[in-house]
Amino acid sequence: MTEAKSLSNRRPETGAFFQRDRTMHPPAFTPSYKTSVLRSPQKALLSLDSTLSEITGPVFGHNILGELDNDMIHNFAKPGESAIGERIIVYGRLLDERGKGVPGALIEFWQANAGGRYRHKKEGYIAALDPNFGGCGRVITDEDGNYWIRTIKPGPYPWPNGPNDWRPAHIHFSIFGHGFAQRLISQLYFEGDPMIWKCPIVRTIPDRSAVERLVAALDMEATIPMDSRAYKFDMVLRGRRSSMFENRMEGN
Amino acid sequence: MVQSLDRLKETASQTAGPYVHIGLTPNFCDIPGVYPVDLGDTMVNDKTKGERIKVKMRVIDGADTPLKDALIEIWQADADGLHNSPSEMRGAADPNFTGWGRKPTDMTTGECVFDTIKPGRVPFKDGRKMAPHLTVWIVARGINIGLHTRMYFSDEEKANDEDPVLARVEHRVRVPTLIAQRDGDTYIFDIHLQGEKETVFFDI
Ligand SMILES: [Fe+2]
């Protein structure tokens, strides 16, 4: 964990993070997504400038990664076999709010199979399991914040909320930046899916442009002919203030 | 018109959903063989410096029921108050302590237990020392954006009394929601999402 090789050439940044723009995020209490009703804090959050406890955060070295970690088509499949479904590449860049690439950041992904079925004991959908699909993958961004994964396009699935609610096809993702205050989990949707705007979970986001930024764009120029189509998906973490404007170093 | 600041907007959060385990703790939910271990499962080894402790946490909803599908991450300093992070500029942290743990709450009991050490004190921005604490982050189905809070220690009364973050809690009756109770070598920390005992969550 200490040896984040991709960070080695840069001086680590130690500034506090920009205030989170909560108008872009879903509020805690969103009654049309029923589970949020009893799981939403009701009191105001206590606002504080970042301290060292949130300015720092765990960073993972490339040495934790296995060869197939970013390949969900093969990382659970029997040798010589592969997961069933539309073969896709998802690629993009991890940036912060200042537009700087975020290197050496761990991004973890999870998703349903091509039929919309998760490999999970609490999953009740009748769609078939794919014996060659596990549903998790991970990657660490390169020096410029770039990443890519290979997977199959997940299917939409029904879920118990309204009597007939269906999720649009989506890939869940979790991001570590360089500070624990940047920790983020969200979901990627796919261009052209009419289910996106009907989804009670998508609709917890109050800002239309914030939803649009969760929709990956089909990029035919990045496809691999006769192999996989490609979707481009950039992600943005909180930016941080520059410590060069501060008179004293932290901790002094 | 003025010049553009060229800022981007943070990606909007979405719930981690009911199957967060598949992505973050696949070995825990019967997806073996993809990753050798679940990341964050182990924070210490036999060379880790500091007092060994266990921290038992639950996340409790507005109907007093523990969440059986939550995931909790903790981040903390080592025994000397240093973080195992490239952004730590004050010195090198204990190489035998990761400082970061991740646990799913049990699917029947709703409990999770971290094996860790008691952290040292970390300075606040103005140099005053904060009391020993864990930074805690909670995600689950029904939680639209990850919740940040802190866990302090019941047997650090003096340090807690002078902690500049706890001092910011306006309604003093809520301070105990941030303090875990010691029981032998285990600290018990219940996080209440709602109600009279609602934990203080941070926008930090
Ligand atoms: Fe999902």
Side-chain angles (χ1 to χ4, degrees):
Chain A
M1 243 169 67
T2 43
E3 40 174 340
K5 293 199 178 72
S6 59
L7 294 175
S8 58
N9 296 330
R10 301 186 183 201
R11 203 167 168 274
E13 292 189 277
T14 56
F17 290 97
F18 295 171
Q19 171 175 322
R20 192 160 237 162
D21 180 356
R22 291 193 178 257
T23 65
M24 293 290 156
H25 290 289
F29 178 69
T30 49
S32 59
Y33 173 24
K34 292 180 183 175
T35 314
S36 75
V37 173
L38 285 174
R39 295 184 170 196
S40 41
Q42 296 166 332
K43 298 185 162 65
L45 302 177
L46 177 60
S47 295
L48 279 179
D49 202 14
S50 328
T51 73
L52 280 174
S53 304
E54 301 81 30
I55 286 169
T56 58
V59 171
F60 304 88
H62 289 265
N63 57 334
I64 69 161
L65 297 181
E67 209 177 317
L68 293 178
D69 280 11
N70 70 338
D71 182 352
M72 284 192 254
I73 295 180
H74 296 107
N75 68 12
F76 191 77
K78 292 180 215 52
E81 299 188 12
S82 55
I84 291 170
E86 297 176 34
R87 296 163 62 88
I88 59 169
I89 284 164
V90 176
Y91 81 95
R93 222 174 144 213
L94 178 65
L95 303 153
D96 74 11
E97 289 171 303
R98 299 168 301 178
K100 292 193 178 187
V102 182
L106 176 68
I107 313 177
E108 296 161 290
F109 298 88
W110 67 101
Q111 63 169 85
N113 71 20
R117 171 77 184 261
Y118 282 98
R119 185 173 286 280
H120 195 282
K121 66 177 100 173
K122 291 204 173 161
E123 157 75 289
Y125 185 31
I126 54 170
L129 276 174
D130 176 349
N132 287 313
F133 187 73
C136 59
R138 61 186 179 183
V139 70
I140 293 178
T141 57
D142 73 11
E143 190 68 31
D144 300 312
N146 297 297
Y147 77 92
W148 65 274
I149 60 165
R150 203 184 249 291
T151 187
I152 50 93
K153 194 166 174 186
Y157 59 83
W159 61 297
N161 186 61
N164 187 26
D165 280 334
W166 291 68
R167 295 301 324 280
H170 61 276
I171 302 177
H172 299 262
F173 59 91
S174 158
I175 315 175
F176 288 84
H178 296 167
F180 206 60
Q182 289 177 302
R183 205 67 190 82
L184 184 71
I185 282 182
S186 190
Q187 304 180 28
L188 169 161
Y189 305 101
F190 293 92
E191 177 179 353
D193 186 346
M195 303 297 292
I196 295 171
W197 302 100
K198 302 182 201 299
C199 174
I201 288 179
V202 172
R203 289 162 74 158
T204 61
I205 299 174
D207 184 279
R208 189 182 170 94
S209 67
V211 174
E212 288 167 346
R213 289 193 296 273
L214 291 179
V215 182
L218 177 66
D219 181 359
M220 289 305 289
E221 313 313 327
T223 56
I224 306 177
M226 310 306 285
D227 180 334
S228 297
R229 288 180 307 152
Y231 284 87
K232 179 233 172 199
F233 190 72
D234 289 345
M235 308 166 185
V236 180
L237 295 178
R238 291 169 72 179
R240 69 201 310 168
R241 298 200 296 269
S242 168
S243 40
M244 76 184 166
F245 296 126
E246 307 208 346
N247 295 327
R248 62 171 182 267
M249 299 293 287
E250 284 117 2
N252 293 340
Chain B
M1 288 288 281
V2 297
Q3 294 190 0
S4 163
L5 292 174
D6 289 330
R7 295 267 157 72
L8 303 175
K9 286 291 181 189
E10 188 187 14
T11 297
S13 172
Q14 291 268 260
T15 179
Y19 309 124
V20 59
H21 316 108
I22 295 175
L24 304 191
T25 56
N27 292 286
F28 165 81
C29 73
D30 303 322
I31 303 180
V34 182
Y35 310 145
V37 291
D38 288 335
L39 219 53
D41 188 54
T42 310
M43 302 173 70
V44 292
N45 62 34
D46 35 345
K47 287 184 235 137
T48 306
K49 286 185 283 181
E51 181 194 354
R52 300 300 271 279
I53 58 168
K54 288 184 195 302
V55 178
K56 192 193 282 184
M57 294 194 189
R58 294 189 301 169
V59 184
I60 296 165
D61 73 12
D64 249 341
T65 305
L67 272 55
K68 288 150 187 158
D69 52 10
L71 182 115
I72 304 179
E73 291 184 0
I74 61 173
W75 171 241
Q76 64 168 100
D78 70 5
D80 294 324
L82 295 169
H83 293 98
N84 193 340
S85 164
S87 307
E88 174 60 83
M89 308 306 280
R90 295 169 299 143
D94 181 353
N96 294 303
F97 182 59
T98 69
W100 175 74
R102 170 191 274 171
K103 293 282 176 186
T105 58
D106 186 88
M107 290 190 195
T108 1
T109 65
E111 284 179 358
C112 67
V113 179
F114 292 91
D115 284 296
T116 183
I117 52 128
K118 190 100 168 271
R121 297 180 71 170
V122 175
F124 193 58
K125 276 194 307 186
D126 59 10
R128 277 184 291 166
K129 287 210 181 308
M130 297 190 278
H133 64 274
L134 313 183
T135 296
V136 182
W137 191 66
I138 303 128
V139 293
R141 174 174 69 101
I143 294 178
N144 288 327
I145 179 164
L147 299 169
H148 281 276
T149 186
R150 282 187 177 192
M151 191 200 97
Y152 289 84
F153 296 85
S154 61
D155 51 349
E156 295 285 346
E157 260 177 76
K158 185 173 174 296
N160 292 343
D161 282 348
E162 59 195 35
D163 182 85
V165 171
L166 288 177
R168 290 284 305 277
V169 180
E170 180 186 349
H171 300 93
R172 302 309 292 166
V173 42
R174 300 190 66 203
V175 171
T177 69
L178 297 173
I179 300 175
Q181 293 304 314
R182 183 160 199 156
D183 177 16
D185 67 347
T186 303
Y187 290 87
I188 314 285
F189 190 54
D190 281 347
I191 297 155
H192 290 267
L193 298 176
Q194 296 182 351
E196 228 167 276
K197 290 182 281 185
E198 181 176 318
T199 300
V200 174
F201 296 104
F202 294 86
D203 187 11
I204 198 159

